Amino acid sequence: MELRHGYPESMRASIGAVEGTRAARLETRFPKLEAAEADRLLRRYHPDYRPEGKRAIAVGPNRGDQAPLELVDLLEAQPLIEPGDVELSRIERDVDLLILGGGGAGTVAALWAVEAGLAPSQVLIATKLRHGDANSMMAQGGIQAAVAPGDSPAQHFLDAYGGGHFTNRRDLVRALVEDAPGILRWHEELGVLYDRDASGEMMRKHGGGTSRMRMHSAKDYTGMELMRVLRDAARDLDIPVLEFASAVELLTDRAGRVAGAVLVDLETGCYSLVRARATLLATGGFGRLHIQGFATTNHYGATADGLVLAYRAGARLRDMDAVQYHPTGAAYPEQLVGQLITEKVRSMGAQPVNRHGAQFVYPLEARDVESSAFIRECYERGNQVDTPTGFCGVWLDSPMVEAIHGAGTIERHLAAMARMFRRFDIDMTRQPILVFPTLHYQNGGIAIDPEGQTSVPGLFAAGEVSGGVHGKNRLMGNSLLDYNVFGRRAGRAAAANSYPSRAGTWRGRRLAWTCWASSRSRCRRCWARIRSCAWRNSRVPSSTRCSSSSE
């Protein structure tokens, strides 16, 4: 098969059609879908509405709830170890706080647990891969925070709550948006290098489903930049990290309180016991289960470990029927299938178009709506672009970014993306790129309160493993924010839970949390309107995918 500029001849005619319509599309704005139309699109085309992809959980706290087949099989499976495999009287480590997971949420939790008074030596991060090997490292687009004039946490709340189809737990969303400005300021103190304009102001962009520009990024490798700084901060404090040590079971005492975990050394296969006064799960999502056969953006460690551990200990889950499929996963070349094409490409002007070069959906619909439109265009309307290896997709017209913002924009703001495609002789500044929805995020998870406490005493959770923050659908930029906000909250709460007499010491960081709190009194009427709106919308059956949407 002969390739020219990375594409076979069979795809060249369609690229020509995209190029032929570009000038006209630059002059027009495709309309957003009305709410009712978006709802119909979801119900007909989104994978979450395929009943054959789910079944009821047969055992445990969520018995009767619907969840993906691949997850239910794990929740109902037999344990990996038998009681005789482990000597429970032999404790290898004894700590105040055990954190399972070495990505963003686990690292943030460890930092704030130490800030709250725990000695670094009494915190242990155990991770089944290396410290930082996680979806947190792979995040691209940015982090949301309402810090600009004309924006507010209240407006951020409305976007996130509406994006989750009004099924989010409201106190979690409020914590998310009110803590966001402080998180951004904390990152600056730590040394995170966010993009800035010539005047030194942080640059902000739109994300899908947002009403204001509040996306802050570090080019298109924001997750890597955050993990670089957070991991260095943890190393500076000498917080112990146990790598290649996977948790296979939580330990509970006779009262049902979680008291540590059984770990397995992935190199030797030997089991060890860690006893802890508090245990925090930060194990990430389940993308590598490849729900319904979808390719995924996720790291190899995203295999639902924390969900299974918590469920076997008696913790409740929520919103497990809702899976996020990112609309723009790479569909060509085959080596990149499923890899993330950040939403930032669309926020900068790239349009999704079919094989005839016609735009068929507004570029920044909420992710579940956008994905549904892509699936409809390919499988009902027959306007897909087929690849030589049997995949299909639609074009993302990336050259529009430079047509709008000028030459060199992609290299400045999407450097990692441009480099990824150049490896296969595709120049995304001149040629469109082929995309199709890819499994991206676990919307639901372990039910938590605003301090990260689960329904089981002694057990906390933060990050993608937890549920309730995003409801049935997450907006772009709220995942990096989620693990920072609830990593901080859960880390501090777990520290207080494990050693109350030493918790609560700020040691000079209080300024990081004055940004929103100082103006809160000015927005009481706004919050009152939001509470009214939230209650009103929560009674409307929008795009709810199951009957279980408890507070």
Side-chain angles (χ1 to χ4, degrees):
M1 179 177 64
E2 184 179 350
L3 300 179
R4 184 159 58 93
H5 300 299
Y7 288 110
E9 192 61 36
S10 61
M11 300 171 72
R12 298 296 307 175
S14 182
I15 292 175
V18 174
E19 293 170 344
T21 62
R22 187 175 296 143
R25 286 185 284 106
L26 279 166
E27 301 300 322
T28 60
R29 178 181 172 87
F30 202 90
K32 290 190 69 172
L33 292 170
E34 296 293 333
E37 188 179 358
D39 193 67
R40 287 193 297 271
L41 184 66
L42 283 170
R43 293 180 181 279
R44 184 162 183 181
Y45 299 104
H46 196 278
D48 280 355
Y49 290 96
R50 296 181 67 237
E52 63 270 27
K54 302 174 187 173
R55 66 181 173 90
I57 302 171
V59 296
N62 288 80
R63 181 177 179 179
D65 288 358
Q66 294 286 316
L69 300 175
E70 298 83 354
L71 176 62
V72 177
D73 287 345
L74 292 180
L75 295 178
E76 296 176 353
Q78 295 296 316
L80 290 174
I81 56 175
E82 298 295 333
D85 294 340
V86 179
E87 177 54 60
L88 293 178
S89 62
R90 184 178 177 183
I91 306 297
E92 298 286 341
R93 293 172 182 259
D94 211 330
V95 296
D96 288 341
L97 175 59
L98 171 63
I99 298 172
L100 300 177
T107 307
V108 170
L111 290 172
W112 283 98
V114 172
E115 187 72 20
L118 291 187
S121 61
Q122 283 302 303
V123 177
L124 175 64
I125 298 174
T127 178
K128 71 177 178 182
L129 298 173
R130 297 170 301 176
H131 189 191
D133 283 350
N135 286 340
S136 307
M137 182 72 79
M138 301 171 71
Q140 297 174 355
I143 181 171
Q144 287 203 51
V147 295
D151 198 4
S152 68
Q155 192 63 47
H156 189 178
F157 178 98
L158 289 176
D159 289 346
Y161 192 49
H165 302 293
F166 310 106
T167 60
N168 327 47
R169 179 167 161 164
R170 290 183 290 276
D171 55 354
L172 297 183
V173 184
R174 183 165 184 170
L176 181 82
V177 302
E178 288 192 343
D179 285 6
I183 288 293
L184 210 63
R185 185 168 177 177
W186 178 56
H187 287 169
E188 288 191 276
E189 290 179 355
L190 290 177
V192 174
L193 299 175
Y194 285 112
D195 294 339
R196 295 178 181 274
D197 61 22
S199 69
E201 280 288 311
M202 275 194 184
M203 300 177 71
R204 294 180 293 273
K205 290 183 170 60
H206 267 302
T210 60
S211 61
R212 301 288 189 277
M213 289 187 180
R214 67 173 71 95
M215 191 69 55
H216 304 80
S217 59
K219 296 188 183 296
D220 58 344
Y221 44 78
T222 311
M224 184 173 69
E225 171 65 7
L226 287 179
M227 276 307 306
R228 174 188 71 82
V229 172
L230 294 171
R231 186 171 55 186
D232 282 354
R235 289 171 175 171
D236 286 346
L237 292 173
D238 289 326
I239 296 172
V241 178
L242 193 60
E243 297 182 328
F244 300 106
S246 180
V248 294
E249 203 78 75
L250 294 178
L251 300 172
T252 55
D253 62 20
R254 292 176 181 175
R257 180 186 176 87
V258 171
V262 179
L263 307 181
V264 60
D265 187 313
L266 296 183
E267 295 179 342
T268 67
C270 295
Y271 294 113
S272 63
L273 268 64
V274 177
R275 184 167 58 189
R277 293 185 174 91
T279 301
L280 192 152
L281 291 172
T283 53
F286 63 12
R288 283 292 164 176
L289 299 186
H290 294 284
I291 307 300
Q292 298 194 40
F294 272 77
T296 185
T297 63
N298 280 199
H299 192 273
Y300 288 107
T303 52
D305 300 24
L307 296 178
V308 176
L309 290 169
Y311 199 68
R312 288 182 55 76
R316 284 198 59 81
L317 311 179
R318 59 166 291 158
D319 299 318
M320 294 315 305
D321 59 327
V323 180
Q324 181 164 99
Y325 299 88
H326 196 289
T328 52
Y332 181 87
E334 187 170 358
Q335 296 94 324
L336 297 181
V337 167
Q339 293 296 299
L340 180 63
I341 309 300
T342 174
E343 199 162 310
K344 189 176 179 181
V345 183
R346 284 177 285 135
S347 73
M348 296 181 73
Q351 296 174 350
V353 296
N354 61 27
R355 67 178 180 182
H356 305 297
Q359 187 175 357
F360 57 89
V361 67
Y362 177 69
L364 292 175
E365 297 285 359
R367 285 178 174 174
D368 52 357
V369 176
E370 192 90 0
S371 292
S372 300
F374 284 24
I375 292 169
R376 177 181 64 181
E377 197 69 15
C378 290
Y379 288 106
E380 181 179 271
R381 295 178 173 176
N383 291 327
Q384 79 281 4
V385 179
D386 294 311
T387 74
T389 55
F391 291 97
C392 74
V394 296
W395 293 115
L396 186 60
D397 195 8
S398 52
M400 294 188 71
V401 172
E402 302 217 331
I404 295 169
H405 301 286
T409 300
I410 286 178
E411 198 60 47
R412 287 194 302 272
H413 296 283
L414 301 164
M417 195 71 52
R419 184 167 57 250
M420 180 174 75
F421 279 101
R422 270 201 306 269
R423 292 172 55 207
F424 300 95
D425 200 26
I426 295 172
D427 182 355
M428 66 180 289
T429 69
R430 296 173 177 268
Q431 302 159 287
I433 51 182
L434 197 69
V435 295
F436 189 79
T438 180
L439 175 56
H440 186 55
Y441 196 80
Q442 172 190 297
N443 288 321
I446 305 165
I448 60 169
D449 70 11
E451 304 308 317
Q453 174 71 61
T454 73
S455 59
V456 178
L459 182 63
F460 297 80
E464 192 173 352
V465 74
S466 66
V469 181
H470 309 292
K472 302 295 185 186
N473 180 59
R474 177 179 65 78
L475 297 186
M476 176 197 182
N478 279 348
S479 60
L480 294 182
L481 181 59
D482 175 350
Y483 86 61
N484 277 279
V485 167
F486 292 100
R488 169 186 172 268
R489 284 171 167 260
R492 295 180 66 227
N497 184 272
S498 65
Y499 209 96
S501 64
R502 298 178 62 188
T505 304
W506 280 89
R507 295 209 299 270
R509 291 285 177 85
R510 187 176 297 279
L511 282 176
W513 303 98
T514 61
C515 184
W516 166 242
S518 63
S519 62
R520 186 177 299 170
S521 61
R522 297 197 299 268
C523 292
R524 285 174 181 163
R525 284 180 297 176
C526 187
W527 274 116
R529 290 197 300 273
I530 286 173
R531 282 194 294 271
S532 174
C533 173
W535 279 111
R536 187 165 61 251
N537 281 310
S538 69
R539 299 189 182 105
V540 177
S542 179
S543 296
T544 305
R545 293 171 188 141
C546 73
S547 59
S548 175
S549 57
S550 60
E551 267 291 281

